[in-house]
Amino acid sequence: MPDITRNILWSVLAAGTAFASLPASSAHADDAPADLLARGEYLATAGDCVACHTAPGGKPFAGGLKIATPMGDVVSTNITPDPDHGIGKYTEEDFEKSLRQGIRRDGSHLYPAMPYVSYSGLTDGDVKALYAWFMHGVKPVAVTPPATSLNFPANMRVAMAAWNMLASNTPPESGDSATFDKMRRGRYLANALEHCGTCHTPRNMMLSEEQDSYLAGAPLVGWYAPNITSSKTSGIGNWSEDTLVQYLHTGHVDGLSQAAGPMGEAVEHSTSHLTDADLHALAAYILQVPAKEDSTEHKPRESFGQPVEAADVRSGDLTRIDDLSEMSGQYIYDANCAACHGPNGAGTSDHYAPSLFHNSVTGAGRPDNLIMTILNGVDRTADGQHVHMPGFDHDSDVQRLSDSEIASVTNYVMTTFGSGDHAATPEQVAKLRKDIAKTP
């Protein structure tokens, strides 16, 4: 497929803005039972609605998150119940069509970054609860985010009608989802509410999910959502149910993995708030997904590396502030990383700064997630603990590293502590740097 065609398709997929507010009369009830509101709030948390519809520093669900695409900037919309700026004039039927069919109130199509392909699997009862909570449990915000601006032909929503005919929607579930048995509940959470496949399933030439490679791993705005099938070499087949539950609840498992980027957000805003029963149901379901192998990974990601007693590269000579010569990867690591992760890569004794060996990021078959972590840092709050690592991109308050320096330290870390030298290049870093999310 020509690059320009793929760029257009990616823009269409990435450009989704949910629930546009349009003038019409309101038809929702004035009151809603407390138990229905509580259920709706829990479902909205499981669906992680707040992640896309809240700008950094903005009010919840008021929109404004900006994402750069090859065809222009996409800005998420206000989905608070404000009647003029949000979705306050949506009827329950309007809401259901947007949520499960990707059709907004005026009959035009949403882009599938609003994951209606997954939300189509929601039960009628859960849609009703979500509608009640968004209309009565969310505070209205009278703010209209900047408009999404896409170039032709990505700005033509009518094209989505054809795409929807080719996409594989999750079939709607019936009955009361709260009464599902453990495995059915786990499947419902994974496929509908948590929409795990949206990130972790590769896409075909038309950018719909490849169902025969479900959860086998896929690129995601600079990051790489890894293979989470039951493969013992390429996936998470060696993880126990309790281990996966711990990861989903806290975003961290000592000597195994840490959540950052989009997964860090999913843990912070969604999975860390699920009940213990739902976490176990979700973990049990994911761990039985048929194994898919990855040609770049032939050994468990977390099995690589050991502590390294590297030579002290510090000479004692002071470095002048006007000396702009670039350091080697080892020198960059010593100057910027060793204070937290240790000269030997073992991290801190309390695991706040994780070990760089026996680490699924440095043991991956691709350097993407390590590069993105160095650029973005980590900022995750889950289970009452805030975890922070500064980023080193051009906006860093710590140290701004060039594309060449980030490539050098990436290769050093992965060679020294992980799966080997993946020959990261400055050009690769520059490309991933462009994928860092922007705000208005």
Side-chain angles (χ1 to χ4, degrees), residues 117-131:
V117 172
S118 297
Y119 292 157
S120 62
L122 293 173
T123 66
D124 291 343
D126 284 350
V127 172
K128 185 178 185 67
L130 281 165
Y131 178 74

Side-chain angles (χ1 to χ4, degrees), residues 70-92:
M71 301 300 289
D73 289 335
V74 177
V75 185
S76 65
T77 55
N78 182 334
I79 58 170
T80 73
D82 183 274
D84 299 313
H85 304 271
I87 61 170
K89 294 177 180 177
Y90 269 59
T91 66
E92 186 173 335

Side-chain angles (χ1 to χ4, degrees), residues 270 279 367 421:
S270 180
L279 285 174
D421 187 352

